[in-house]
Amino acid sequence: MSNALFAVRDLLREGATLSREEIAQRLSLPSSTVEAALEHWRSRQKLQVLQPLAAAPACSSGGCGGGACGSCGSRKPAPPATQYRWRDWSPVQ
């Protein structure tokens, strides 16, 4: 776990703003491991957590709750993911 902690830290210190899934993919780590590492750094106030804005409804008919039924040809998009950014990052020199 300690290697995962530092891998997540180092990735975010580079100035990236990423979701948990993006971090897991870039580091080839299980999502649960990344989640634990993010919680560790969040509890130490090292992360800025950026909550997504609510997505606008995809369906104009209004009868299906924003595209959930699919009858109008649109599908409700997946909600945007929470993003994480290192709080006191500075560019690597």
Side-chain angles (χ1 to χ4, degrees):
M1 173 68 172
S2 65
N3 288 338
L5 283 173
F6 297 121
V8 169
R9 178 200 65 187
D10 293 345
L11 178 62
L12 293 174
R13 272 185 163 176
E14 292 174 359
T17 301
L18 302 167
S19 69
R20 181 188 63 204
E21 293 80 15
E22 290 169 322
I23 295 168
Q25 183 178 32
R26 287 191 187 193
L27 298 175
S28 299
L29 292 171
S31 186
S32 59
T33 300
V34 171
E35 188 171 347
L38 290 169
E39 179 55 30
H40 171 84
W41 293 120
R42 190 203 57 77
S43 71
R44 284 156 180 75
Q45 300 180 351
K46 295 293 187 180
L47 291 181
Q48 183 175 7
V49 180
L50 306 168
Q51 297 296 334
L53 298 174
C59 183
S60 60
S61 73
C64 65
C69 70
S71 66
C72 64
S74 67
R75 297 271 170 137
K76 193 172 194 173
T82 300
Q83 301 282 307
Y84 300 89
R85 177 171 41 204
W86 196 255
R87 229 179 238 286
D88 58 359
W89 72 271
S90 60
V92 177
Q93 307 221 346

